[in-house]
Amino acid sequence: MTGARPGRPARLVVIGGGFAGLWAVRALRAAPVEILLIDRHNHHVFQPLLYQVATAGLAAPSIAAPLRHILRRQRNVTVQLAEVERIDPVARQVFAGSQVIDFDFLLLATGVSHAYFGHDDWAGQAPGLKTLSDALKIRARILTAFEHAESCADAGEAQQHLTFVIVGAGPTGVELAGTLAEISRHTLKNEFRRIDPAHARVILVEAGPRVLPAFTPELSASAQRQLERLGVTVRTGLPITHVDASGVRIGAEFVPARTVLWAAGVSASPLASTLGVPQDRSGRVIVGTDLSIPGHPEIFVAGDLAAVSSSSGPVPGIAPAAKQMGRHVARVISARIATKPPPPFRYRNFGLLATIGRMAAVVDLGPLHFSGLLAWWFWLLAHVYFLIGFRNRLVVLIDWAGAYWTYQRSARIVTEEGK
Amino acid sequence: MTGARPGRPARLVVIGGGFAGLWAVRALRAAPVEILLIDRHNHHVFQPLLYQVATAGLAAPSIAAPLRHILRRQRNVTVQLAEVERIDPVARQVFAGSQVIDFDFLLLATGVSHAYFGHDDWAGQAPGLKTLSDALKIRARILTAFEHAESCADAGEAQQHLTFVIVGAGPTGVELAGTLAEISRHTLKNEFRRIDPAHARVILVEAGPRVLPAFTPELSASAQRQLERLGVTVRTGLPITHVDASGVRIGAEFVPARTVLWAAGVSASPLASTLGVPQDRSGRVIVGTDLSIPGHPEIFVAGDLAAVSSSSGPVPGIAPAAKQMGRHVARVISARIATKPPPPFRYRNFGLLATIGRMAAVVDLGPLHFSGLLAWWFWLLAHVYFLIGFRNRLVVLIDWAGAYWTYQRSARIVTEEGK
């Protein structure tokens, strides 16, 4: 048996309160373990709707809930706000500031961020979208861009402020591009006196051959058509070769643009490398079918940070997969404590959804594919359903209903912090 | 006739999109004036509920709306996001960055902030509450204080993190103190494992002899009783003589406290002094009964920044007074353009309300005074009524109904910006 010592319950340290970490913790509510959940934020974020905060559709608190509050009734959990710097897998210790925390079991679930492909200096110019802070920063940039354009005496400069480049056409890039097009064409209508926001250019750049590469080629083509109908310019097969304050180079062509948003690449949480085990090209930790790392059956990695394959290929970095992995780690820990053989992880693919904009989305349910209005309703219902457990779902629904009828967005607020 | 020049409509520049500025602009929707509304934020804030954002009860976007959106249908208004540095009353010009803006009429309505009575170095340690950014900063401080206490190995240090001092017992100070007591005793119940948040001390300090000095002595006494029932320690008649990172000195006594919030004093917007006319002790501009400044009938000051008296004494710095002043400036400008004598400003006192906490408030309607549960319902209905025009009022109602039944608060989110 691994982990537990006689006379007291085994101690599990979970790093990261995202879908993987939180679902593991909740699945262990009746298990004989003492859990310490460490996160550097005080809240869990419903990441699939982060782009809505970034595009002023929802207030930040509508998609986040304090981890302490979610877990207040689960007496075997202590929540701690801290930043872990290092893990010592051999000594079974976690280091956070001046604290040294012992563990019997460890779950590392700190996720991934975007990768700038060796150009980390682009990060300041082209923010990515992974946390609520990122979302508020992007929201401020987008709203301020229109304000700058309105204040410009020079028409050429105004057009640069009205040019938005989104790098990477995965679900996040597609959502940002589609929503930005909607904002410029509908939300801001009649609000400016010198510029016409509808003249904004929204350019979605993808180095690969098609948008939404995880979907079927037919759905990618449909997504591109839906994006173009919303007013987005889609450029595929071209890498970004330069980013600065005045614009981006797409392949060989320089495009003047004051707002660049980054939604490309995958870069693992730096904590992963302190485990000292093999990582894939993006830094994700390669785990076994029990989601533990080689040589350490008591240390698990789950969620976006875990590189794991199922019968249908690599498990995607999406919320349903993270929840499944989190629950699986809970099952393995329970099995280990009961000295039973752990079951192997099997990813159940419930499908892929991506929303594009108003009444535009694509849905891939394996045998069943569809897109457009029907896909958009499906996406909407699925997300409202999964928001259940968040007390703010009613608020989200009202905001969305309001936005649907009026094209308005309820969170168009720039605070100093967000600038 | 002042202001208008032949052949084109008079140009009115309004600085500040608070209640005074916005109500003046709206009242001039049919007047032959071209209006430029300048604000350094993109939004109007419903200030009476700012303390709710600071105490995590409401999301920031729920009490704010973009000025452009509010005014989108009023075609004689241009909204500009800018910071005005200086006014030249003789040349009739306003200076904002590199811009020089001419005006025929000017309305200065930039409000006031708190005063540290010559100790501006306390500002970093003891933030005041005037903008949404302030509210988000205070929210982060309050939430983080409980997190720090939970992480402390030392019980004495934990108690310092659990000690909150609020300086100034006007409506804002009373609201903050009452709500903080509610948060520590109810909202956070069961969420911590090492500390008991109910052991938090909330100390409300007032240099004057009683809380809510603008109310009758009976209502002040009632407010103090209600505060004490909620768990607030009220200290009156004692000035703060020192503030640093470890605590405050109240009179001669040092109280260790890691969180100090400032709600005392009045300090006029620095722009006021560039007018070169008499100001009162706090820097407010002394205006005539037409709300214009001496020697410049085309320049008006309204809202909290204006020092003006009515038959019943000085007009208070509250939202209803600011709206009345804003509308009055609109009437005077219309009268001037029509070469008619302007009516004098008369303040209509509709009463004073202050909320204290859950089911606790005081109401002073002149002949009619009441406090407690009835006053709280009166306060609630009045504020929901005045939020009308904000599309978020339904969201506010839901958040409040949720908070009432569950004691929960929907915006308990700390983002990096707020730290």
Side-chain angles (χ1 to χ4, degrees):
Chain A
M1 188 183 113
T2 317
R5 291 168 213 173
R8 64 168 184 82
R11 180 154 207 211
L12 165 64
V13 173
V14 177
I15 310 175
F19 285 111
L22 190 53
W23 260 248
V25 168
R26 297 216 275 201
L28 288 165
R29 62 190 166 282
V33 282
E34 256 176 23
I35 305 170
L36 176 67
L37 172 60
I38 305 176
D39 198 294
R40 61 196 169 113
H41 295 120
N42 79 329
H43 51 271
H44 171 77
V45 176
F46 191 81
Q47 282 225 338
L49 292 178
L50 204 51
Y51 84 97
Q52 285 268 355
V53 174
T55 55
L58 292 173
S62 295
I63 65 154
L67 286 164
R68 291 192 182 290
H69 182 67
I70 299 173
L71 296 167
R72 70 195 177 283
R73 294 209 183 86
Q74 189 172 332
R75 301 306 299 182
N76 65 345
V77 186
T78 300
V79 175
Q80 192 180 337
L81 185 72
E83 182 135 14
V84 174
E85 285 111 32
R86 194 164 64 83
I87 298 160
D88 184 335
V90 178
R92 291 190 185 167
Q93 287 178 325
V94 158
F95 298 82
S98 58
Q99 277 191 294
V100 182
I101 302 156
D102 295 305
F103 63 80
D104 300 312
F105 294 105
L106 177 72
L107 168 56
L108 182 61
T110 44
V112 296
S113 63
H114 295 299
Y116 292 89
F117 309 114
H119 296 280
D120 287 350
D121 52 310
W122 296 353
Q125 207 46 242
L129 179 58
K130 281 290 171 186
T131 66
L132 276 184
S133 294
D134 294 340
L136 295 174
K137 194 194 293 171
I138 290 176
R139 183 177 83 186
R141 289 220 185 176
I142 292 171
L143 297 174
T144 312
F146 288 97
E147 297 292 338
H148 282 318
E150 174 84 346
S151 298
C152 263
D154 180 76
E157 202 185 322
Q159 190 57 47
Q160 291 173 22
H161 285 295
L162 290 178
T163 304
F164 299 88
V165 175
I166 294 105
V167 184
T172 300
V174 166
E175 284 157 356
L176 287 172
T179 314
L180 256 168
E182 183 187 330
I183 288 173
S184 65
R185 274 143 193 78
H186 297 288
T187 309
L188 300 180
K189 207 172 186 170
N190 297 327
E191 295 198 10
F192 291 83
R193 301 293 183 250
R194 295 167 188 163
I195 58 159
D196 180 353
H199 289 156
R201 282 183 73 196
V202 180
I203 306 169
L204 178 64
V205 184
E206 167 61 43
R210 57 191 174 96
V211 305
L212 297 178
F215 288 69
T216 66
E218 294 72 30
L219 286 175
S220 290
S222 166
Q224 178 160 348
R225 277 194 307 275
Q226 294 182 66
L227 282 163
E228 286 165 349
R229 201 153 46 219
L230 289 166
V232 176
T233 304
V234 179
R235 310 274 307 259
T236 53
L238 288 168
I240 294 287
T241 51
H242 182 75
V243 180
D244 65 31
S246 64
V248 297
R249 208 180 308 119
I250 305 175
E253 182 200 355
F254 184 78
V255 177
R258 298 295 178 97
T259 308
V260 182
L261 307 178
W262 200 267
V266 169
S267 159
S269 162
L271 217 44
S273 62
T274 73
L275 291 173
V277 294
Q279 296 172 263
D280 74 0
R281 209 167 48 103
S282 305
R284 282 179 294 217
V285 179
I286 296 162
V287 292
T289 59
D290 63 351
L291 304 181
S292 75
I293 64 171
H296 287 282
E298 77 285 6
I299 300 182
F300 303 89
V301 180
D304 290 359
L305 189 60
V308 60
S309 287
S310 68
S311 53
S312 56
V315 176
I318 58 176
K323 291 182 194 174
Q324 291 180 36
M325 286 192 228
R327 277 193 298 251
H328 188 76
V329 168
R331 273 192 296 266
V332 174
I333 289 174
S334 295
R336 291 260 157 80
I337 290 173
T339 63
K340 288 181 186 158
F345 178 66
R346 280 207 189 82
Y347 173 57
R348 287 192 63 191
N349 180 6
F350 294 109
L352 282 174
L353 320 183
T355 183
I356 294 164
R358 191 179 176 76
M359 299 185 273
V362 288
V363 173
D364 177 351
L365 300 180
L368 196 64
H369 300 171
F370 49 104
S371 57
L373 183 60
L374 181 66
W376 186 73
W377 277 106
F378 187 89
W379 175 91
L380 194 81
L381 293 175
H383 281 73
V384 169
Y385 175 79
F386 284 111
L387 259 179
I388 289 178
F390 276 81
R391 59 176 291 285
N392 288 310
R393 61 193 183 278
L394 199 57
V395 170
V396 170
L397 268 185
I398 289 167
D399 271 347
W400 281 356
Y404 183 83
W405 292 114
T406 66
Y407 285 95
Q408 264 312 308
R409 307 185 72 79
S410 66
R412 283 175 44 203
I413 305 303
V414 181
T415 52
E416 269 90 26
E417 289 76 20
K419 260 184 194 163
Chain B
M1 189 182 115
T2 317
R5 291 170 211 172
R8 63 169 184 82
R11 179 155 208 210
L12 164 65
V13 172
V14 177
I15 311 175
F19 286 112
L22 190 53
W23 260 248
V25 168
R26 296 216 275 201
L28 288 165
R29 61 191 166 280
V33 283
E34 255 176 25
I35 305 171
L36 176 67
L37 172 60
I38 305 176
D39 199 293
R40 61 196 168 116
H41 295 120
N42 79 329
H43 51 272
H44 171 76
V45 175
F46 190 81
Q47 282 224 335
L49 292 178
L50 204 51
Y51 84 98
Q52 285 269 355
V53 174
T55 55
L58 291 174
S62 295
I63 65 155
L67 286 164
R68 289 192 184 289
H69 182 67
I70 299 172
L71 296 167
R72 68 195 178 284
R73 293 209 183 86
Q74 189 172 332
R75 301 306 298 183
N76 66 345
V77 185
T78 300
V79 175
Q80 192 181 336
L81 185 72
E83 182 136 16
V84 174
E85 285 111 33
R86 194 165 64 82
I87 298 160
D88 183 334
V90 178
R92 293 189 184 166
Q93 286 178 326
V94 158
F95 298 82
S98 59
Q99 276 192 293
V100 181
I101 302 156
D102 295 305
F103 63 81
D104 300 312
F105 294 105
L106 177 73
L107 168 57
L108 182 61
T110 44
V112 296
S113 64
H114 295 299
Y116 292 88
F117 308 116
H119 296 278
D120 288 349
D121 51 310
W122 296 353
Q125 207 46 242
L129 179 59
K130 280 292 173 187
T131 66
L132 275 184
S133 295
D134 294 341
L136 295 175
K137 196 195 292 172
I138 289 176
R139 183 176 84 187
R141 289 220 185 177
I142 292 171
L143 298 174
T144 312
F146 288 97
E147 297 293 338
H148 283 319
E150 174 85 345
S151 298
C152 263
D154 181 75
E157 202 186 323
Q159 190 57 47
Q160 291 174 21
H161 284 295
L162 289 178
T163 305
F164 300 87
V165 175
I166 294 105
V167 183
T172 299
V174 166
E175 284 158 355
L176 287 173
T179 313
L180 256 168
E182 183 188 329
I183 288 173
S184 64
R185 275 145 191 77
H186 297 288
T187 308
L188 299 181
K189 207 172 184 169
N190 298 325
E191 296 197 10
F192 291 83
R193 302 292 182 251
R194 297 166 188 165
I195 58 159
D196 181 353
H199 290 156
R201 283 182 74 198
V202 180
I203 306 169
L204 178 63
V205 185
E206 167 61 42
R210 55 189 175 94
V211 304
L212 297 178
F215 290 69
T216 66
E218 293 72 32
L219 287 175
S220 290
S222 166
Q224 179 161 347
R225 278 194 306 275
Q226 295 182 68
L227 282 163
E228 286 165 350
R229 201 152 49 220
L230 289 166
V232 176
T233 304
V234 179
R235 312 273 307 259
T236 54
L238 288 168
I240 293 287
T241 52
H242 182 74
V243 180
D244 66 29
S246 64
V248 298
R249 208 181 305 120
I250 305 175
E253 183 201 354
F254 184 77
V255 177
R258 298 294 178 97
T259 308
V260 183
L261 306 178
W262 200 267
V266 169
S267 159
S269 162
L271 216 44
S273 63
T274 72
L275 290 172
V277 293
Q279 295 171 264
D280 75 1
R281 210 168 45 105
S282 304
R284 282 178 293 219
V285 179
I286 297 162
V287 292
T289 58
D290 62 352
L291 304 181
S292 75
I293 64 172
H296 287 283
E298 77 285 7
I299 300 182
F300 304 89
V301 181
D304 290 359
L305 189 59
V308 60
S309 288
S310 68
S311 53
S312 55
V315 175
I318 57 176
K323 292 181 192 173
Q324 290 180 38
M325 288 191 229
R327 276 192 297 252
H328 187 76
V329 168
R331 274 192 295 267
V332 174
I333 290 174
S334 294
R336 291 260 158 80
I337 290 172
T339 63
K340 288 179 186 162
F345 177 66
R346 280 205 190 82
Y347 173 57
R348 288 192 64 191
N349 180 6
F350 293 108
L352 282 175
L353 319 184
T355 184
I356 294 164
R358 191 179 175 74
M359 298 185 273
V362 289
V363 173
D364 178 351
L365 299 179
L368 195 64
H369 300 170
F370 50 103
S371 57
L373 182 60
L374 181 66
W376 185 74
W377 275 107
F378 187 88
W379 176 90
L380 193 81
L381 292 176
H383 280 73
V384 169
Y385 175 78
F386 284 111
L387 260 180
I388 290 178
F390 276 81
R391 58 176 292 283
N392 289 310
R393 62 192 181 278
L394 199 56
V395 171
V396 170
L397 269 184
I398 289 168
D399 271 347
W400 282 355
Y404 184 83
W405 292 115
T406 65
Y407 284 95
Q408 264 313 309
R409 306 185 73 78
S410 66
R412 284 174 46 203
I413 304 302
V414 181
T415 52
E416 269 91 25
E417 288 76 23
K419 261 185 194 160

